[in-house]
Amino acid sequence: MSDQRICTTEQLSDVLKKTVSERRFIHSVGVAQTTCMLLDYYGCTDYEKTWNGFEAGYFCGLAHDLCREMPGPVLIEYCRKNGVHLTKWEIESPVLAHGKASAFMAGQLVPGYPESWKRAIEAHTTGLNGLDDLAQALFVADFIEPSRTFLTEEKRREYLANPSLTACEYAILCDMIAHWKEKGYHDASEGSLLLKRELEEKLGI
Ligand SMILES: [Fe+2]
Ligand SMILES: [Fe+2]
């Protein structure tokens, strides 16, 4: 795959289709469309909207889970081999590394794509260090896109009733943390508590 060079959204979509399962492909297209919708809906202008014929929200949505289906050890080895630096959290929970790995793979396919787009893809797994409009829209879209059937339409509308993208992301994060606790999966991870604090600071609460 690393020798492929692609120039259009259609080509990126074709590569994604060959790389991931049908379910993941449908999810990624949903994230792409929803990220664009959110950026528009919240009137976001402070991001690099287009580059070389690609649109930010659509590109990041299609690319964000390119490596999501790599098994943990393969993902860690892929990052090591390509000099992708991982945090201790990503090494301990390899699934978290798919953001950075996918951002790297996107760069192999589309060399020189914007750094801010790369950061948004890298940050989508934890939300950490992803507090610009594009990264926040991608994080929210990943959770609310239409194929996420665990969400009701009413809940989707409730999230979208938030006055800002930051408030919307905060509401989702609080629900995620409450859900983990309720199901007894685990208490909120260190990363999600850090993101919660970052968002509270941004919201001034
Ligand atoms: Fe992901
Ligand atoms: Fe995703």
Side-chain angles (χ1 to χ4, degrees):
M1 168 176 289
S2 59
D3 291 336
Q4 270 176 289
R5 290 283 188 275
I6 58 178
C7 312
T8 66
T9 302
E10 289 68 31
Q11 288 170 342
L12 179 58
S13 177
D14 286 345
V15 170
L16 178 69
K17 202 171 204 166
K18 289 184 195 126
T19 307
V20 298
S21 63
E22 191 184 358
R23 188 180 69 87
R24 182 76 44 197
F25 177 74
I26 291 169
H27 161 69
S28 300
V29 172
V31 173
Q33 290 167 342
T34 307
T35 305
C36 293
M37 179 278 285
L38 287 166
L39 289 165
D40 189 45
Y41 178 76
Y42 282 111
C44 305
T45 51
D46 191 19
Y47 67 101
E48 194 168 349
K49 198 173 181 339
T50 56
W51 175 82
N52 271 10
F54 291 104
E55 193 174 346
Y58 213 87
F59 182 96
C60 291
L62 287 183
H64 84 290
D65 273 350
L66 271 167
C67 295
R68 177 64 182 83
E69 293 176 350
M70 277 185 186
V74 177
L75 199 49
I76 297 291
E77 177 58 14
Y78 178 78
C79 290
R80 194 201 57 77
K81 213 172 65 196
N82 290 297
V84 176
H85 174 76
L86 298 178
T87 63
K88 81 173 169 57
W89 290 332
E90 288 160 338
I91 293 166
E92 282 165 9
S93 297
V95 67
L96 295 177
H98 78 266
K100 284 184 183 165
S102 300
F104 175 83
M105 188 180 280
Q108 298 292 97
L109 296 165
V110 189
Y113 79 99
E115 270 301 309
S116 61
W117 298 11
K118 183 169 183 262
R119 282 197 302 274
I121 297 171
E122 287 178 345
H124 89 271
T125 48
T126 60
L128 290 171
N129 305 316
L131 292 180
D132 65 6
D133 289 340
L134 179 61
Q136 290 189 296
L138 184 66
F139 183 90
V140 169
D142 198 16
F143 195 75
I144 69 165
E145 63 87 12
S147 78
R148 298 290 210 188
T149 48
F150 57 83
L151 275 190
T152 62
E153 271 315 305
E154 192 188 352
K155 192 68 194 169
R156 240 179 223 107
R157 273 198 298 275
E158 195 185 305
Y159 286 136
L160 291 174
N162 281 285
S164 68
L165 201 46
T166 304
C168 185
E169 182 176 6
Y170 185 69
I172 288 172
L173 182 69
C174 290
D175 282 355
M176 279 177 172
I177 292 172
H179 176 76
W180 294 329
K181 208 168 179 175
E182 189 189 307
K183 295 283 174 193
Y185 294 151
H186 54 78
D187 280 333
S189 66
E190 235 178 302
S192 52
L193 290 179
L194 205 57
L195 175 63
K196 189 165 177 277
R197 279 198 294 277
E198 281 185 358
L199 293 173
E200 283 167 352
E201 208 168 294
K202 200 170 171 186
L203 289 165
I205 54 177

